[in-house]
Amino acid sequence: MNNEDQRPHEDRESRLERQFTQAAHDPFDSRHHGAIHVPLYQNSLFAFETYAAFEDAFKDLMRNHVYSRGNNPTVEALEQKLAALEGAEAAKCFASGMGAISAAIMGSVGQGDHVVCVDQAYGPTRELLFVYLKRFGVETTFIDGSLVDNWRAAARPNTKLFYLESPTTMRFELQDLRQCAALARSIGARTIIDNTWATPMYQNPLALGVDLVVHSITKYIAGHSDCVGGVIMGSRELVDAIGNHEYMLLGSIMTPQTAALAAKGLRTLPLRMQRHEASGLTVAEHVRSLPFVQRVNHPGLPSHPQHELGRTQMAGYGSLFSFLTSRPPAVMKEWANRLRYFKIGVSWGGFESLVTVNLAGQAPEDGSIVRLYVGLESPQDLIADMERAAESLGLNGPAAGGAGEVPQHEEA
């Protein structure tokens, strides 16, 4: 293994310290009287002193402030900070994570092109590729992305895009980012990765050869479950091309109000991710010991089959993971009902812990896959909460709930 391959671990502490400063510090801003936060520019347009200045601004709409559908100073400040954390030349913020994903994909393919996508990608992403873009002559092949040979086998002469999500956010499988990026380059295809789980703190795919990175700002980056947003990051050439076309034409713009909220959340991202990583691993280790749990899907655990791959391309771990159980969904949903500290809800990345229950296969008898998000609460309180809920249902017994019976609900 060369020195570059070891970089995420050899300089982990120095990288974290640098990111603390990048996230928290802004230079003195004399334009705004030394304001600590960039002011909220609640403007739809910007006027010019002369017509010549007005015309000059139109020569580069991504760098000048003309109309907030293209570039707003509050949003721009967030983009610059995100790009610095990700190690990108440029960033463009969108109204949602899906807005960023859609623009990145649509800016990378055209009629007659072929896409290879990891089969566990975010559901709306799969629908965009398999249903929506099929209407416009774009074909997609979905594969088990954990083996680079599967990417190679799926590639065609007209393949223009590899779409990655590492780790995936239900079964938490990884892709080898270096090998996928190198393979894509060798056939003239672009790579895009959804990097939301690891955040810019713990994974920097651009340094591993990936072309574009997308994030749902809604989650860890904003961190307080109070705003929705997305971002694309990469080279200035690629980001500007999407900015001048898909961003401007589709209109999925981030508002300055959202950017101001996300920027405040971003200040504490390094601190929060340290807590999420530690708490998530503590809870995941305990979940492994529960008698009704068959397998825990968390790449930070040595038991994860791709743990060593994760160590070569990630500097740390998020706190979203899942576990498999033979207990049917009806039983596990009742277990979720009895949890005090885990709220039942979609998404993740905020301060609150969350739980969802899904079919592990095609039928209830196939068992359940339960996704847990560990927030900022005490991990010991979360562990005690899970134990209490399991005990109230008799889940710690060898066959309790196995036939799908749900014991009478008890008041918590």
Side-chain angles (χ1 to χ4, degrees):
M1 184 181 294
N2 60 37
N3 290 335
E4 181 183 351
D5 287 338
Q6 297 179 32
R7 185 186 58 81
H9 305 286
E10 290 179 336
D11 64 353
R12 171 183 161 94
E13 294 305 318
S14 61
R15 286 182 67 250
L16 292 178
E17 288 303 309
R18 172 172 51 82
Q19 288 173 316
F20 267 99
T21 300
Q22 285 178 322
H25 177 73
D26 288 333
F28 180 81
D29 189 351
S30 58
R31 297 173 304 158
H32 302 121
H33 313 285
I36 296 299
H37 291 292
V38 173
L40 200 162
Y41 278 82
Q42 195 166 324
N43 301 39
S44 61
L45 75 158
F46 301 86
F48 294 82
E49 190 172 3
T50 68
Y51 213 94
F54 180 53
E55 290 180 326
D56 282 343
F58 268 86
K59 295 175 183 176
D60 191 351
L61 291 174
M62 293 300 103
R63 225 70 61 225
N64 294 299
H65 303 296
V66 177
Y67 189 51
S68 279
R69 183 165 61 83
N71 196 358
N72 177 280
T74 309
V75 180
E76 183 182 42
L78 174 62
E79 291 168 345
Q80 291 171 350
K81 190 171 283 290
L82 285 168
L85 283 171
E86 189 66 72
E89 290 181 357
K92 200 66 189 167
C93 285
F94 289 75
S96 67
M98 200 58 214
I101 290 168
S102 297
I105 291 174
M106 294 175 76
S108 302
V109 297
Q111 187 176 33
D113 288 344
H114 175 247
V115 179
V116 183
C117 178
V118 60
D119 59 7
Q120 292 180 38
Y122 180 51
T125 302
R126 297 197 306 270
E127 184 174 354
L128 173 74
L129 287 166
F130 188 67
V131 179
Y132 190 82
L133 289 183
K134 184 183 288 187
R135 295 163 48 190
F136 304 98
V138 176
E139 290 186 282
T140 301
T141 300
F142 294 95
I143 62 165
D144 172 355
S146 62
L147 299 174
V148 71
D149 285 345
N150 293 346
W151 295 89
R152 185 176 292 108
R156 303 176 185 173
N158 61 333
T159 299
K160 298 300 181 184
L161 176 64
F162 282 5
Y163 188 90
L164 306 101
E165 183 181 308
S166 185
T168 59
T169 54
M170 183 58 73
R171 296 184 182 268
F172 299 88
E173 290 185 357
L174 311 181
Q175 299 101 60
D176 188 318
L177 303 188
R178 293 178 182 86
Q179 290 194 29
C180 287
L183 175 60
R185 282 195 303 273
S186 73
I187 63 171
R190 183 178 296 178
T191 46
I192 300 172
I193 183 172
D194 184 336
N195 196 36
T196 303
W197 186 88
T199 81
M201 288 290 301
Y202 290 151
Q203 186 166 259
N204 300 118
L206 299 175
L208 305 179
V210 174
D211 293 309
L212 288 171
V213 172
V214 295
H215 289 270
S216 171
I217 286 174
T218 312
K219 299 180 173 67
Y220 282 128
I221 288 174
H224 294 81
S225 300
D226 56 0
C227 62
V228 175
V231 65
I232 298 173
M233 293 185 274
S235 70
R236 186 166 298 284
E237 178 184 6
L238 292 181
V239 173
D240 279 0
I242 292 170
N244 283 311
H245 296 97
E246 285 74 22
Y247 179 84
M248 293 291 282
L249 295 175
L250 299 178
S252 180
I253 67 165
M254 176 176 282
T255 67
Q257 293 88 347
T258 296
L261 279 174
K264 289 179 181 179
L266 187 61
R267 303 281 188 190
T268 60
L269 177 65
L271 186 65
R272 287 185 288 107
M273 289 309 298
Q274 283 188 330
R275 171 72 174 189
H276 283 305
E277 178 183 27
S279 295
L281 286 169
T282 297
V283 174
E285 283 282 10
H286 182 80
V287 170
R288 286 184 66 213
S289 71
L290 298 176
F292 58 92
V293 171
Q294 297 171 307
R295 186 175 79 236
V296 176
N297 301 312
H298 189 312
L301 297 179
S303 59
H304 190 284
Q306 295 175 294
H307 177 69
E308 289 305 315
L309 172 61
R311 284 173 50 81
T312 70
Q313 58 190 31
M314 289 189 288
Y317 307 100
S319 61
L320 182 77
F321 66 94
S322 67
F323 67 83
L324 289 171
T325 174
S326 62
R327 305 299 195 258
V331 171
M332 297 314 300
K333 287 175 183 178
E334 183 57 26
W335 178 75
N337 285 340
R338 299 188 185 201
L339 294 171
R340 291 174 175 169
Y341 291 119
F342 288 87
K343 292 180 169 65
I344 300 168
V346 299
S347 196
W348 41 277
F351 51 86
E352 73 289 357
S353 292
L354 297 166
V355 59
T356 57
V357 177
N358 302 274
L359 279 170
Q362 300 299 314
E365 55 266 27
D366 295 328
S368 306
I369 182 166
V370 179
R371 194 173 77 168
L372 295 176
Y373 167 67
V374 177
L376 297 178
E377 303 92 342
S378 162
Q380 298 307 319
D381 285 342
L382 298 176
I383 287 169
D385 190 26
M386 291 189 295
E387 289 281 8
R388 181 196 55 77
E391 186 66 28
S392 73
L393 281 168
L395 283 177
N396 290 333
E405 284 189 23
V406 181
Q408 184 64 33
H409 181 71
E410 300 171 1
E411 291 299 324

